[in-house]
Amino acid sequence: MTLHADLTRALGVAEWQLPDSGFTPELHMLKETLLSLGNGYIGSRGSFDEATPADITHCEGTYLNGVYSSEPITYGESAYGFARNNHKMLQVANGKVLQLSVDDEAVTITGATEHQRQLDLKTGVLHRQWQWQSRQGKQLQLQSRRFISQANPHLLAIELSVTALNFSGDIQLDSLLDAGYPGFQKKDDPRVGVMSIADSLSLRQQHCDAKQATMLHQAHGSESRVAAAMSHQLPANAKWLANHCTEHCISQQFQLSLTKGEPLVLHKLVVYCHNNEQADDSQLQQHINMLLQQVCAQSFASQLTAHQQYWAGFWQQADVKIGGDSALQQGIRFNLFSLAQAAGRNGVSNIAAKGLSGPGYDGHYFWDTEIYVVPVLSLTQPDTARQLLTHRFSQLNAARQRARQMSHPRGALYPWRTIGGEECSAYFPAGTAQYHINAAIAYAIRSYYLATADSHFIREMGAEMLLETNRLWLDLGFFNPRQQQRFEIHQVTGPDEYTAIVNNNFYTNAMVQLQLEFSLLIFADYPELAAKFEVSNSELQSWQRAADNMYLPYDHELAIQAQDDSFLNKKPWDFATTPADKYPLLLHFHPLVIYRHQVLKQADTVLANVLLDNRISPAQKTRDLAYYEPLTTHDSSLSGCIHSIAFAEAGNTEQAHAFFGNSARMDLDNYHGNTGVGVHIACMAGSWLSLVMGFAGLRVRKDGLYFQPRLPQALPELEFRLCYQNRILQVSLSADQASYQLISGKPLTLYHANQAVSLDVGAPVKCSAGV
């Protein structure tokens, strides 16, 4: 069906920037998301340095990835095996606050006469320039630069320049470490989440003097303790006045002496950390003090340079250049920028559905990581992809425990949504029932391995995750004696959350088949693994038997792959009489109403067809797409990018481009109306997949890279780089030509339109773009 979306363009269009010209109160919360900064550990929303006026809707937030509070889930009616606790990404003290006052009048946005901000995607710096006038007519020119360091995972830094335009005199600066900022909630929307720092943290210690301030907090319901500290690099004429400490906030007050027309520049340095299992409060205090001393010993400029060097290296490898549309160019760069800001890089954190940009979904990790993000990072930032998979491996024991709770005597069942490894989904029909999370993790392992040939990862982590999730599948499924011993999987939910608790979801069964066959190849290629993990020949044979006899439902009358055993027997949804304001359906109809109909939230069988590559014929994919897409609401932001790839593969590049545009600017244009609580990370990754899998036609197979370029007229040029098995490959496409250049690494043979192309480092090889 046609995408039902209203465009809200809060920021200007520029290929390397997000420009914010002027102050628009009604869009402020959306801009806070879009101008967020992060480094995979710290994330902080793009709020102002000074207090936001009380009459403006906004959502403050500074977050630590992988650190969480936990609270019991309250059920009106409970049952055995229900998720017991909900994890919430931890909000921590906001160290951004720099509140100026002139003659006891606070400098806030309401007194601004000019106001501009720019988020520089190339360098990861948020710039701000504005002028302010007091009620008595005193005027200030203010400029600031803010970054969260990519070189130091603990650092948030701000530079503030203040110039008195028409007076000389003293002003006051209040610099805060604020652990009492208000929470945000929207109880009628399950996507938003409910976060409150007051409900998450309890103060354990605080300290402040003329030079620094620190706060230590205990996270509710977990073992996590967090520390935040701030200090300043001030001009010589600055004078410390006082400290004000409460349970929720530390304020350091300084007097600044201004001379008309002369800029006064100061820097604020804020560091964050959390405890490991062994650290006590004293050790945590020592650690945060050491981190603060280290950053204070360096200049703002040197730390900014180190931060910018990371981004220079990132863009050299990850940048995508497209022709014909500056808005889409901005969109794909913003999306890649956001992925880099959000992805955990330490092996003990992951990437949340909203990244580190807002409270949506309580900061939970989903299958989004494995189906959308890891395939992108495996080919652009493979070290980060490995760390995300390492995080999943670190929670394998918790997945084993969850399998036992769900009455599986062997194997591991990963949680549908989590932070610490425990299942946090309170609605099991669209949570725990989505067993395909296991297949998603296996798919990510496969994607990473095909892109990197990382045998060490397979031996140390990947094979064990495959083994344990395989064992779960063999216990969950069964060989049906009434159906010629075909292998069936019952009472599960597939990716389409508008259909729940079904038998033989095509996507689930097909992805399990792919997983089992890949696992067999891995255990054949690494025969020592069977002995290491005590895998018998009979167990390997059971995987082969299940794969060979996997039931994939098919409707011969319609000549399509059936989404499950019952979907095609349901009444089609009446789209013609459903008004636009009733979307998304999940906010306007009881789940049972939706479950009774043929209607999809997002790609399901179509997603399987995209991921299964040449296991499904092109003709079959085209028939499936023609049947299922008109029934799809695209209420999930994960849907458009997959349909873009599917339409490109079917040869309909115009429709593919429309879906790509929706994905590329999902958040910049707030198409789903909820970007104010965080970006859509999987959709962002999906926009890269739309370009590379869709228009470049890339498929990564066991025997190499295959390209089938098919650019739409509206996108006349496309250029990107890939990391492939310790090589760097540059791909440049135009309407009539494809160019492949090996930048570094061993010689490579790839396939263009199924024809072998041999590359050595050096000059590009050019091919006709015709497929």
Side-chain angles (χ1 to χ4, degrees), residues 276-351:
N276 57 36
E277 293 180 357
Q278 292 78 32
D280 58 22
D281 283 0
S282 175
Q283 292 169 317
L284 187 59
Q285 180 72 59
Q286 291 175 9
H287 187 54
I288 196 72
N289 287 340
M290 179 194 70
L291 292 172
L292 191 62
Q293 290 170 7
Q294 289 175 346
V295 300
C296 289
Q298 303 174 59
S299 68
F300 178 90
S302 66
Q303 294 179 98
L304 176 59
T305 297
H307 165 75
Q308 292 173 327
Q309 286 173 347
Y310 168 88
W311 283 113
F314 172 82
W315 288 117
Q316 183 179 29
Q317 175 53 39
D319 189 26
V320 173
K321 299 176 184 178
I322 62 176
D325 195 317
S326 295
L328 291 180
Q329 178 68 81
Q330 179 191 43
I332 189 64
R333 283 184 174 141
F334 173 63
N335 293 350
L336 290 168
F337 177 83
S338 298
L339 288 178
Q341 290 202 124
R345 305 174 203 162
N346 55 10
V348 294
S349 60
N350 209 287
I351 185 167

Side-chain angles (χ1 to χ4, degrees), residues 1-6 629 632-636 639-641 643 655 657-663 666 671-672:
M1 62 172 294
T2 302
L3 289 167
H4 45 84
D6 295 322
E629 196 282 325
T632 305
T633 63
H634 307 291
D635 284 347
S636 168
S639 190
C641 56
H643 281 87
Q655 187 76 330
H657 185 265
F659 276 107
F660 162 67
N662 179 267
S663 300
M666 173 64 66
Y671 280 130
H672 277 210

Side-chain angles (χ1 to χ4, degrees), residues 305-426:
T305 297
H307 165 75
Q308 292 173 327
Q309 286 173 347
Y310 168 88
W311 283 113
F314 172 82
W315 288 117
Q316 183 179 29
Q317 175 53 39
D319 189 26
V320 173
K321 299 176 184 178
I322 62 176
D325 195 317
S326 295
L328 291 180
Q329 178 68 81
Q330 179 191 43
I332 189 64
R333 283 184 174 141
F334 173 63
N335 293 350
L336 290 168
F337 177 83
S338 298
L339 288 178
Q341 290 202 124
R345 305 174 203 162
N346 55 10
V348 294
S349 60
N350 209 287
I351 185 167
K354 295 290 187 179
L356 295 170
S357 66
Y361 293 114
D362 289 337
H364 288 162
Y365 311 140
F366 291 80
W367 71 311
D368 306 27
T369 297
E370 285 75 29
I371 294 296
Y372 294 83
V373 177
V374 169
V376 175
L377 295 180
S378 294
L379 291 165
T380 58
Q381 300 289 308
D383 290 344
T384 303
R386 193 182 204 274
Q387 293 303 316
L388 296 179
L389 290 170
T390 299
H391 169 260
R392 286 296 194 186
F393 180 74
S394 75
Q395 297 187 341
L396 182 57
N397 281 335
R400 290 186 178 106
Q401 294 172 13
R402 181 57 176 164
R404 306 303 170 267
Q405 293 169 356
M406 294 299 294
S407 303
H408 300 292
R410 302 183 78 198
L413 175 60
Y414 277 93
W416 178 243
R417 55 190 297 176
T418 191
I419 299 177
E422 179 181 6
E423 178 62 80
C424 295
S425 177

Side-chain angles (χ1 to χ4, degrees), residues 140-141 161-169 237 257-265:
L140 294 178
Q141 173 80 40
S161 173
V162 186
T163 305
L165 297 180
N166 62 353
F167 73 100
S168 296
N237 65 359
S257 297
L258 301 181
T259 300
K260 179 181 174 180
E262 296 183 6
L264 182 150
V265 179

Side-chain angles (χ1 to χ4, degrees), residues 25 52 66 101 255 274 296 315 325 332 368 376 386 396 412 439 451-452 459 507 526 537 572 611 620 715 739:
T52 301
S101 299
Q255 178 181 289
H274 71 282
C296 289
W315 288 117
D325 195 317
I332 189 64
D368 306 27
V376 175
R386 193 182 204 274
L396 182 57
T452 65
R459 290 189 176 96
Y507 172 90
Y526 299 89
N537 285 333
L611 301 182
Q620 185 63 62
L715 199 157
S739 172

